[in-house]
Amino acid sequence: MARPLMLSGGTTLLLVALLGCEPDKAPENQVLALPKHLNTPHVSDQTTAAGLSLVLWNDDGGCKLQVGKAKPTVWMKPMAPCYFMESPGSSQVQVYRHNKTTSVVAVVGTPVKGQRCGQEVQGLVLKGGTATPSAYVMQGSVHCADQGLQNFQYDLFAN
């Protein structure tokens, strides 16, 4: 002879709550919509170095630099999203002092697997209130923004 199922008061409430939470009978073949990448330009990183406000923009897959309040007009070689290199073990942007008048920061982009990592790194030479992208671009190795660079690498950007 079968015994009736006996439930405690808490278990009964849980079952009633679960059965009452059934969604509005969505079709079984409905696909969950994934978030899309932003189609409009948006900021991927920003900092202040050598007295300049520097902002990196992801603009339709390209990396654009904004200096101060001017419109972002300078295209960087690394593809977006791009980020400023940070000092290892710190969240501060790594600023290399090349000489008394020139500083260099580096931008990593052309993303690969990993957080804030990329295949291309380009320097920004900061001198006399201007920021100029370096002619030299490191390519081929994977660099991550939180690992920083060595001084000799910054020297390559400054030349």
Side-chain angles (χ1 to χ4, degrees):
M1 183 165 170
R3 288 182 49 186
L5 182 59
M6 301 294 287
L7 301 174
S8 69
T11 307
T12 304
L13 285 175
L14 180 61
L15 279 174
V16 170
L18 289 174
L19 292 173
C21 290
E22 189 173 329
D24 296 323
K25 300 283 185 186
E28 289 183 22
N29 61 353
Q30 183 178 9
V31 177
L32 180 64
L34 297 174
K36 295 181 180 177
H37 291 284
L38 297 173
N39 290 332
T40 58
H42 59 278
V43 173
S44 59
D45 205 357
Q46 58 188 354
T47 193
T48 301
L52 295 173
S53 171
L54 306 170
V55 181
L56 296 174
W57 289 81
N58 180 339
D59 189 347
D60 199 26
C63 180
K64 229 178 198 183
L65 173 68
Q66 175 183 349
V67 180
K69 296 187 187 268
K71 282 187 164 186
T73 57
V74 179
W75 289 97
M76 302 294 293
K77 173 75 170 119
M79 298 302 292
C82 52
Y83 307 98
F84 292 108
M85 293 296 259
E86 298 172 350
S87 295
S90 167
S91 61
Q92 297 293 317
V93 171
Q94 192 174 34
V95 180
Y96 172 71
R97 181 125 179 171
H98 181 66
N99 58 35
K100 290 181 181 180
T101 61
T102 307
S103 296
V104 182
V105 295
V107 175
V108 61
T110 310
V112 295
K113 290 181 183 179
Q115 287 278 59
R116 300 167 54 97
C117 298
Q119 298 179 56
E120 293 184 308
V121 181
Q122 185 173 18
L124 278 175
V125 180
L126 311 175
K127 184 176 183 176
T130 63
T132 307
S134 66
Y136 175 73
V137 178
M138 291 191 312
Q139 298 174 316
S141 296
V142 174
H143 295 277
C144 296
D146 63 350
Q147 296 173 352
L149 296 174
Q150 301 293 319
N151 288 348
F152 79 89
Q153 292 169 307
Y154 281 102
D155 273 333
L156 295 172
F157 296 133
N159 294 328

